Amino acid sequence: AFIASFEQFLRVIKGLGTNTTNKYLSHLKKIVNLAIQYQWLLRNPFANFKTKNVEVEIERLTEKELNIVANLELPKQNHIRVRDIFLFCCFTGLSYTDIKSLNQDDISVGIDGNIWIRKRRQKTGGLSRVKLVKIALDILKKYKSDNQFVFPVSSNQNMNRILKKIGSIARLDKELKMHMARHTFATYAMTKNVSIETISQMLGHKSIKSTEIYAKVVDSKISDEMDSFSDSIPESISLSKVS
C-alpha cells in the first residue's frame, strides 16, 4: 500500500512521467532489497508490484536542422555563445553536466596526433573518449582561454531558455534543449555508419544496452541501407510476366 501511494504521489502530486516515476521506484526497491538482505524486513513489499517503462521518442536534430542552426545569424553575443556550446555537444556527445565541467586537462593529443576529449562522465563514472571533428575543433579554438574550464557555460535553465529562442529564430518545429545535443550526436553518428560499439565508448556508456535505444530511431539509416540492398538485387530476380 505504501509503494502504491508513493507511486501516486510521484505521478499526481509531483507530476512525473511514467519512466521517471519508475526510476524513483527502482531506487526505493534497491533499499528495500538491502533491508531484506539484513533481515530488517521479513517480506518483500515489491513482490507483487510491477513497473513497465513506456517507449518515448528521442528528440534530436537532423543533418538539415544542424546545418540551419550552425549557419544561423543571431542578434546577440550570448545567443551565439550558447549556440556554439550546443553544437559542440552535438558533435562530441557531451551532456550539459559534462560540458559545464569540461576543463583543459580533459583535452589532449592522442597517439594519432589529433585532439581528443577523455573525460569521466559525472553521471555514471564511465570514460568518454571522443576524437574531435573539424567543427568541434573550430569551436574549441574560438573559445580558447587560460581559464580552467573550457567553455563559459551558464545554468541549464538559462541555456535552455536561450536555445528555445534560437529554435524560434531558426523556425524549427521542435524546441531546442541541451539534452537534445547528446541524442543528436548518437543518432547522427549512427547515420554516418559509426558502429554502435564505438558510439557507446564515446558516450561513456558502461553497457551497450544503453546505446541500443538510438538504433531504434534512425529511420533514415534504415531507408539508406534498404536502398543499397534494393540496388544490389539483380534484375534477373523478378516476377515473370503474366500473359
CSV table of all heavy atoms in Angstrom, one decimal, residues 11 154 229:
chain,number,residue,atom,x,y,z
A,11,ARG,N,3.3,10.5,-9.4
A,11,ARG,CA,2.6,10.8,-10.6
A,11,ARG,C,1.7,12.0,-10.6
A,11,ARG,O,1.7,12.9,-11.4
A,11,ARG,CB,1.8,9.6,-11.0
A,11,ARG,CG,2.6,8.4,-11.6
A,11,ARG,CD,1.6,7.2,-11.9
A,11,ARG,NE,2.3,6.1,-12.4
A,11,ARG,CZ,2.6,5.9,-13.7
A,11,ARG,NH1,2.2,6.8,-14.6
A,11,ARG,NH2,3.2,4.8,-14.1
A,154,SER,N,26.6,28.7,-18.7
A,154,SER,CA,25.7,29.2,-17.6
A,154,SER,C,24.8,28.1,-17.1
A,154,SER,O,25.0,26.9,-17.5
A,154,SER,CB,24.8,30.4,-18.2
A,154,SER,OG,24.1,30.0,-19.3
A,229,PHE,N,20.4,-2.1,-50.5
A,229,PHE,CA,20.0,-3.5,-50.6
A,229,PHE,C,19.2,-3.7,-51.9
A,229,PHE,O,19.4,-4.7,-52.6
A,229,PHE,CB,19.2,-3.9,-49.4
A,229,PHE,CG,18.6,-5.3,-49.4
A,229,PHE,CD1,19.4,-6.4,-49.7
A,229,PHE,CD2,17.2,-5.5,-49.3
A,229,PHE,CE1,18.8,-7.7,-49.7
A,229,PHE,CE2,16.7,-6.8,-49.3
A,229,PHE,CZ,17.5,-7.9,-49.6
